[in-house]
Amino acid sequence: MKLHELIKYSKALLKYKRIGTFIICLLPVFPEIFFRCIEATIYSMLIYIGEVQPIQLFSGENPVQITVAVSFMVIHWLTSAPLIYVSAYRLCEICYDNDKPNRNLTLLSEIFVNRRNFFRSLALSFWTKITGILALIPAGICGFMTYYLIMNTDDLFIVVQAVVFTILSLYFWLNVRLTLFVVPFLMAHFPQKSVFRTVLYAFRFMRGRRNGMIKLFITYFFPVVIPLTSPYFLPELMTALSLSISIYVREDDYSERIKINRKLKTSADPAKVSYGKKRFTAFTHQTET
């Protein structure tokens, strides 16, 4: 599907749902704002009573400040990770079975309080953070070496090479971050797949598809970052993104079915081949029924 067709179709999906979808998109942001405000209030009180000096908020020398920062980091992680999954799950539901306007969507509270979803979302947050940090290490090393060479050598050729490696490392990191961004949507599409396997699958899933998503982000960048227009265009961006992922999942499912049917025709033991059908997504089964 071309970009303009994707945007047009996503707008049709948002009919009478724009406000609700906007709230869904902001669900992962609410804990960030809430806990940051409380954390800032606590720091202000500590500074007021003289327990913490202002410079210690940045140095990490005060044990009270460290305790507050670590506590809020854990609480924020435990809260935001499930909400990210809830948001991705609901966006996937909006894009699947869109020909059934009166269908019942899963209650947000039901998704949020589900014990399995809770632990899977925490594991998802852990693996995505670890993967993102590992991808950033080459860029950090190259950036440090570039700075060191600029300050200590006059060899322009070596400096240019270091700058090029830094840019390539940052490009690699941005590709990894884009891949990790779609992992919650894939986890919603593949509820039976382990989180670690979903993260690995995301890199294969995004192969050859990053450019289309980058174009989508570029198209909506300015309307989304402007606070006045963000409430209108953010739901369109996230719906278009979820719709594109859903289309790609259906394409992969269709290709997988063709492969399995070919193997069934040529295999001497069809039972082994039919076992591979378990890899199909739950959303696909819901659509078929």
Side-chain angles (χ1 to χ4, degrees), residues 200-217:
L200 294 179
Y201 170 72
F203 289 93
R204 180 165 62 89
F205 177 83
M206 290 293 289
R207 190 180 304 159
R209 294 166 174 168
R210 293 185 180 90
N211 290 338
M213 293 188 179
I214 291 175
K215 292 178 182 178
L216 181 63
F217 281 115

Side-chain angles (χ1 to χ4, degrees), residues 186 190 193 196-206 209 248-249 252:
L186 294 179
F190 298 89
K193 184 177 291 191
F196 182 71
R197 289 182 58 194
T198 304
V199 173
L200 294 179
Y201 170 72
F203 289 93
R204 180 165 62 89
F205 177 83
M206 290 293 289
R209 294 166 174 168
Y248 293 147
V249 167
D252 288 349

Side-chain angles (χ1 to χ4, degrees), residues 104-138:
N104 294 323
L105 298 176
T106 307
L107 296 176
L108 297 181
S109 58
E110 182 180 342
I111 306 171
F112 185 79
V113 301
N114 185 285
R115 183 177 179 182
R116 186 170 183 273
N117 291 339
F118 177 76
F119 287 107
R120 279 171 57 82
S121 62
L122 295 183
L124 171 67
S125 178
F126 173 79
W127 284 115
T128 52
K129 289 182 183 299
I130 292 297
T131 307
I133 292 173
L134 292 177
L136 187 59
I137 290 177

